[in-house]
Amino acid sequence: MNPKQLAAHAAVALIENGMKVGLGTGSTAYFAIQKIGQRVKEEGLQVTCIATSIQSEELAKSLNIPMAGFDTLKRLDITIDGADEADHQLQLIKGGGGALLREKIIAYMTDHYVIIADQSKYVETLGKFHLPVEVIPFGWQRTFDHLEALGAKPHLRQRDTAIYITDNGNYILDCDFGAIFEPRDLQTKIDLIPGVVECGLFVDRTGTLIIGNNDGSVVTHNRK
Ligand code: 5RP
């Protein structure tokens, strides 16, 4: 098993019958959704899920995982999602896959937020991975200027030759802030910029970080 799969399987073992579950996005969350589908099929595991992206929703439906919407789901027992970076305080950078807004909405309705990653994502200090910031298309150039004034080198995300569009119809500015020593403070400043919908800093949300290592071991870090 590869390290992402190891972390994903350890996280899915935390799911119990009857739980309401948030499904993450990305190549690590993919393994978690596959494993949930397997447990639904083979064990008759009863869960109700909501996904953080169209891509993950389609995958879950293809595996016959029961899905529901926000009308019926007010809180989630657990969400299992990936991250682009996680530091030793369990603060995160997310959004490499472009799903940060839906991921954050779901993170904030979750009792036990579980992050899964391979060892390359576990870092001393956030910021090597450029921080994704979702912005509305209207006047995005001025939002870019405000981010630059905060100290970032922003870059408009492209897919092939076109501008990358999120599931919510927005753009993403990937921002090089250098090392991020105060993620809480930076998040507050970014959120105040007009045109910013959400930034990829996930501060004080993670209850458990599960890291899969190249040597086949799995290490679990719980919030203190
Ligand atoms: C998507 C995300 C992903 O969780 C993050 O990009 C990690 O992806 P992967 O597991 O493919 O490395 O935040 O918006």
Side-chain angles (χ1 to χ4, degrees):
M1 250 191 263
N2 75 53
K4 291 181 180 190
Q5 204 170 0
L6 285 169
H9 288 196
V12 173
L14 300 172
I15 299 176
E16 294 169 13
N17 243 348
M19 278 188 167
K20 300 180 177 73
V21 181
L23 305 176
T25 295
S27 58
T28 318
Y30 168 87
F31 289 116
I33 298 170
Q34 287 283 356
K35 187 68 183 172
I36 293 168
Q38 188 187 337
R39 288 191 62 192
V40 167
K41 187 174 173 204
E42 293 176 6
E43 291 172 31
L45 176 72
Q46 294 189 357
V47 282
T48 310
C49 298
I50 192 162
T52 54
S53 63
I54 294 169
Q55 190 187 15
S56 292
E57 181 162 359
E58 285 172 355
L59 174 62
K61 283 180 177 166
S62 76
L63 295 165
N64 297 316
I65 296 173
M67 304 297 287
F70 291 98
D71 287 345
T72 46
L73 293 174
K74 280 198 189 312
R75 295 292 304 168
L76 298 171
D77 298 294
I78 186 169
T79 289
I80 300 173
D81 204 346
D84 300 298
E85 284 183 346
D87 73 11
H88 295 195
Q89 284 70 49
L90 312 194
Q91 315 295 32
L92 314 173
I93 287 182
K94 287 181 54 53
L100 64 147
L101 175 58
R102 295 186 185 203
E103 289 174 335
K104 201 176 267 193
I105 289 170
I106 284 176
Y108 275 70
M109 61 185 278
T110 297
D111 294 335
H112 189 187
Y113 192 54
V114 178
I115 291 297
I116 50 177
D118 65 54
Q119 65 180 73
S120 69
K121 310 287 186 69
Y122 191 49
V123 299
E124 193 79 41
T125 309
L126 299 177
K128 201 165 178 189
F129 189 92
H130 297 173
L131 178 67
V133 179
E134 182 159 347
V135 303
I136 64 162
F138 181 87
W140 70 266
Q141 297 91 335
R142 298 296 77 78
T143 311
F144 181 109
D145 294 345
H146 285 296
L147 286 162
E148 210 166 33
L150 265 188
K153 288 194 197 85
H155 180 78
L156 181 63
R157 190 179 293 187
Q158 313 259 0
R159 180 176 274 170
D160 302 320
T161 50
I163 296 175
Y164 175 86
I165 310 280
T166 70
D167 282 354
N168 319 297
N170 296 315
Y171 295 171
I172 289 187
L173 296 172
D174 291 302
C175 295
D176 180 4
F177 277 98
I180 299 172
F181 295 108
E182 301 288 348
R184 201 173 287 117
D185 188 42
L186 183 60
Q187 175 181 237
T188 305
K189 287 177 176 154
I190 293 173
D191 284 351
L192 286 172
I193 296 173
V196 167
V197 183
E198 198 48 78
C199 86
L201 286 167
F202 283 52
V203 179
D204 301 335
R205 299 312 312 169
T206 308
T208 302
L209 170 67
I210 302 177
I211 298 289
N213 292 311
N214 296 337
D215 64 6
S217 63
V218 174
V219 179
T220 298
H221 304 269
N222 288 308
R223 177 171 292 285
K224 294 180 183 84

